[in-house]
Amino acid sequence: MSRIATPSAGGPTAWHDLDPLTRLVVSVGTLVAAVLLTGVVCLLLLTLVAVLLPAALARQLRRVLVTGLLLALPLALSVIIVNVLFSIEGTVVASLGPLEITEEGIALAAEVVARVLTMAGAAVLFYVTTRPSELVASLQHHGVSARLTFVIHNGVAMIPRLAERAHEVTAAQRARGLDTEGNWLRRGRGVVAVAAPTVLSAVRETEMRTLALETRGFTRPGRPTVLRVPHDSSTQRVARWGVALALVLLTLARATGALPC
Amino acid sequence: MSQAWLRVAGGLAVFALIAVAGMTALAGPDFDDALDTFTLAMVVAIPAGVVAYALIEYLQTRRLDSITRQFDTRTLVLMPVAMALNIVLGTAVASALKIPIYLDSVGTILVAALAGPLAGAATGFLSNVIWTYLAPPPFQSPFAVPFAIVAVAVGLLAGTFARWGWLRPRRGASGQQLAIGSALSVGALVLMTVIALRAWRIADEGRDLAPHADETAFVILGWAAMLLVAGTAIGLVVLLVRWRDLAAAYILLAGVITGVVAAFIAAPIAAGLFGGVTGSGADFVVAAFRQAGADLEQAVLGQSLISDPVDKVITFFVVYLILGAMATRTIARFPQGEYLLPLPDAEDVADRDA
């Protein structure tokens, strides 16, 4: 394998300058911490430190906030409706017809909404500051198999293409009288009518793509050349291991009940 | 015992050992605690079982052929398509159709059927990771990655069922075979329903399954959700009789088993992390159970035991239709393709031999 030791061009901010793997570790670490932590205060503190500060550093605060809120909104609304309006146990603070609102329901909904916002923020921060191609190059640089990075990169690229195809199929089926707004039975039939042609055309393409790849030496042994070497450093390596260690300690603290929140 | 069976047995033994030890050591006295521990045990036991399988194969042959064979070029090209299918269909069904199913594992089950259990598990896992970190909005879902272990379990089960020939077309079955197939399908469904009912009753300390609520609308909603299970089963039995394809019985069985396993792993994740909701149409079923008097864990498990088997039966059925629409030579080129093709008739074999 050969590597061209040409570092990629520096990012617009210090956050963008980090190795994409470091940003991924921070994002995954935030997500795991959000799973382990309970209590609104702890979760909001985590959001501030691991999402909002890096987002401000990357000059993406507004975008992270808006996109994160938009992504979290449907789930947050469901959380509030199910846990506040349909909570059955606890101290009743208000009634809406047959529905009773309890203190415990409000507390649970607040905690889950805080967790949902933290997770959405962490994922969006990574997404808006990292191109898939950058991550793939970084993963290859760090020794991940070229076959795996091919799958990841193509999986991401395939989403908009498949969505476009699904829109075309939906429009064509609607023109033939498909009802996607009717009762459950009609919607269920709609799923099959849209999914089947979308899936079949995509699956049929794989045959040609396989032949094209094999003729271009995809199965050749050895590792491909990494053209863009990410900005890694010993500090970042220590930081990545630090995040991993912190998560192990957090897990142990949660398991032993030593965590204050 | 052949070498292949030995490593499968070794992998299963490690999986079972860790799962049972984890459940015994960590499970609390009540059902909710046991359910949480079950998910945690699966998170550790499933990867450990796979690693044990690989280790035994390496010790036997100094190679990992049975694993690497599942990831040939054709599979690697199909996997991104399958992952995109999972994400696009999953997002569309959750956000647009608002029905209490997910349809986010068509790609996982398709790859598992064509390439094998590990390829299916990898597709499921990577789908959920990409869904959270790399999928462009509006397809991004920050809440998919915690459910990656469920997708892994679905991939492993689907690949195993396909390897057993459960997705092989069996058209032109005799009336007797169809009768036995229908009876076994209904029997399997009744068995699964009984298991679900027992789980529910254990969770709810003997209370009846029937939804109780002051509001008639919620009672109707609860019953309607439960009738979905019966409706799907009846639909497949009708297909069994009309198409005379015995595979419908196997699809039903594969879907129900996969759905029940997925429900038990996914329910504690949804309840513990997201207050029992997923942002899909299934949330209405959770709300109905909550209003009916169930606590959060019970409501989510009740919803999962209704939604997941229906979802997986539909998904297996969609995959079966996709496989039926693919050219035989295309299917045969995949690592596990031979198990998806119809068995040759006795007459065909005689003609070929002649």
Side-chain angles (χ1 to χ4, degrees):
Chain A
M1 176 203 158
S2 58
R3 283 187 186 176
I4 299 174
T6 312
S8 57
T13 67
W15 180 260
H16 289 88
D17 260 350
L18 292 175
D19 187 328
L21 185 66
T22 308
R23 281 177 256 158
L24 182 66
V25 168
V26 170
S27 183
V28 172
T30 308
L31 201 135
V32 175
V35 168
L36 292 169
L37 290 173
T38 54
V40 177
V41 177
C42 281
L43 286 164
L44 290 181
L45 209 61
L46 177 69
T47 312
L48 180 71
V49 173
V51 178
L52 298 182
L53 282 179
L57 187 67
R59 295 188 206 131
Q60 295 287 342
L61 187 58
R62 186 186 157 85
R63 198 170 163 200
V64 168
L65 278 173
V66 171
T67 315
L69 283 172
L70 282 175
L71 283 175
L73 196 65
L75 193 67
L77 282 176
S78 280
V79 168
I80 292 166
I81 291 168
V82 170
N83 289 292
V84 174
L85 296 181
F86 296 96
S87 185
I88 50 158
E89 61 278 322
T91 317
V92 178
V93 291
S95 294
L96 286 173
L99 307 173
E100 290 176 338
I101 298 171
T102 63
E103 270 182 27
E104 288 76 0
I106 295 170
L108 177 64
E111 182 184 310
V112 175
V113 169
R115 180 175 295 122
V116 163
L117 289 173
T118 310
M119 292 170 85
V124 170
L125 173 64
F126 178 78
Y127 177 78
V128 299
T129 56
T130 312
R131 289 196 202 97
S133 56
E134 280 182 298
L135 177 66
V136 165
S138 170
L139 290 174
Q140 279 191 355
H141 175 71
H142 289 285
V144 174
S145 133
R147 293 178 153 227
L148 178 59
T149 54
F150 166 82
V151 171
I152 294 171
H153 199 224
N154 272 272
V156 178
M158 195 62 74
I159 295 167
R161 277 163 49 189
L162 201 67
E164 198 179 323
R165 189 170 299 175
H167 280 301
E168 288 167 7
V169 171
T170 309
Q173 297 289 39
R174 274 189 181 149
R176 292 184 181 93
L178 171 75
D179 183 4
T180 53
E181 305 292 331
N183 60 32
W184 282 17
L185 188 65
R186 285 186 177 183
R187 289 186 200 185
R189 281 164 56 188
V191 173
V192 179
V194 173
T198 307
V199 175
L200 283 178
S201 56
V203 170
R204 280 185 189 134
E205 260 183 27
T206 58
E207 192 64 24
M208 282 187 297
R209 287 165 58 80
T210 303
L211 289 173
L213 277 171
E214 285 184 344
T215 53
R216 284 164 176 77
F218 181 71
T219 48
R220 177 185 164 275
R223 291 171 59 188
T225 306
V226 178
L227 292 173
R228 250 189 345 192
V229 179
H231 286 266
D232 201 6
S233 61
S234 52
T235 316
Q236 287 189 59
R237 277 191 286 276
V238 170
R240 289 198 293 266
W241 282 109
V243 170
L245 184 67
L247 289 178
V248 171
L249 293 175
L250 201 60
T251 309
L252 288 175
R254 165 60 60 209
T256 54
L259 213 58
C261 60
Chain B
M1 187 186 275
S2 72
Q3 286 198 333
W5 275 108
L6 190 68
R7 52 185 180 252
V8 169
L12 284 174
V14 170
F15 166 79
L17 195 71
I18 292 177
V20 171
M23 291 286 287
T24 313
L26 299 173
D30 65 10
F31 184 81
D32 290 356
D33 280 349
L35 200 58
D36 291 345
T37 311
F38 177 74
T39 303
L40 194 62
M42 290 301 110
V43 170
V44 181
I46 291 175
V50 173
V51 169
Y53 173 92
L55 198 63
I56 295 170
E57 179 168 16
Y58 187 76
L59 290 173
Q60 285 173 336
T61 63
R62 298 285 158 195
R63 298 164 70 91
L64 294 171
D65 280 351
S66 79
I67 295 172
T68 54
R69 199 169 46 228
Q70 293 183 30
F71 295 91
D72 66 354
T73 309
R74 198 161 267 100
T75 307
L76 292 176
V77 172
L78 182 63
M79 279 172 72
V81 176
M83 284 151 51
L85 274 176
N86 287 343
I87 294 168
V88 172
L89 286 179
T91 307
V93 170
S95 61
L97 291 165
K98 288 287 179 195
I99 50 179
I101 57 170
Y102 318 108
L103 222 61
D104 58 358
S105 46
V106 171
T108 304
I109 294 177
L110 182 66
V111 172
L114 286 164
L118 292 174
T123 305
F125 180 79
L126 288 173
S127 294
N128 283 44
V129 171
I130 287 178
W131 208 343
T132 293
Y133 287 108
L134 295 172
F139 296 102
Q140 192 177 26
S141 169
F143 321 111
V145 80
F147 293 97
I149 188 66
V150 184
V152 168
V154 169
L156 288 174
L157 285 173
T160 307
F161 295 146
R163 179 65 184 254
W164 290 347
W166 287 19
L167 294 178
R168 201 192 282 281
R170 295 159 195 272
R171 292 196 179 174
S174 67
Q176 194 184 1
Q177 285 176 318
L178 288 171
I180 294 169
S182 302
L184 284 175
S185 305
V186 173
L189 194 85
V190 169
L191 184 70
M192 291 301 158
T193 310
V194 169
I195 292 169
L197 283 171
R198 281 186 65 83
W200 175 266
R201 285 188 176 138
I202 291 166
D204 210 14
E205 293 168 359
R207 198 170 65 78
D208 190 40
L209 180 76
H212 297 286
D214 298 332
E215 280 289 293
T216 315
F218 290 114
V219 178
I220 293 170
L221 191 56
W223 278 115
M226 278 188 274
L227 284 174
L228 266 176
V229 182
T232 308
I234 292 165
L236 269 172
V237 171
V238 168
L239 288 176
L240 193 72
V241 175
R242 191 174 162 190
W243 288 9
R244 303 181 71 82
D245 188 348
L246 205 59
Y250 289 93
I251 289 169
L252 180 68
L253 196 61
V256 171
I257 294 172
T258 310
V260 170
V261 172
F264 274 100
I265 302 176
I269 300 172
L273 299 187
F274 303 120
V277 302
T278 53
S280 70
D283 297 348
F284 296 114
V285 184
V286 176
F289 275 119
R290 291 281 272 163
Q291 185 66 10
D295 75 18
L296 186 61
E297 295 258 2
Q298 296 157 10
V300 180
L301 183 62
Q303 173 269 316
S304 298
L305 284 171
I306 291 165
S307 294
D308 279 60
V310 176
D311 176 61
K312 297 303 176 289
V313 170
I314 293 171
T315 306
F316 268 99
F317 190 60
V318 169
V319 169
Y320 183 70
L321 293 178
I322 294 169
L323 294 171
M326 285 171 72
T328 302
R329 66 173 185 280
T330 309
I331 294 177
R333 285 175 185 152
F334 279 94
Q336 209 168 254
E338 62 184 294
Y339 300 100
L340 303 172
L341 299 175
L343 288 169
D345 292 338
E347 284 179 20
D348 292 343
V349 174
D351 288 347
R352 196 178 59 200
D353 291 345

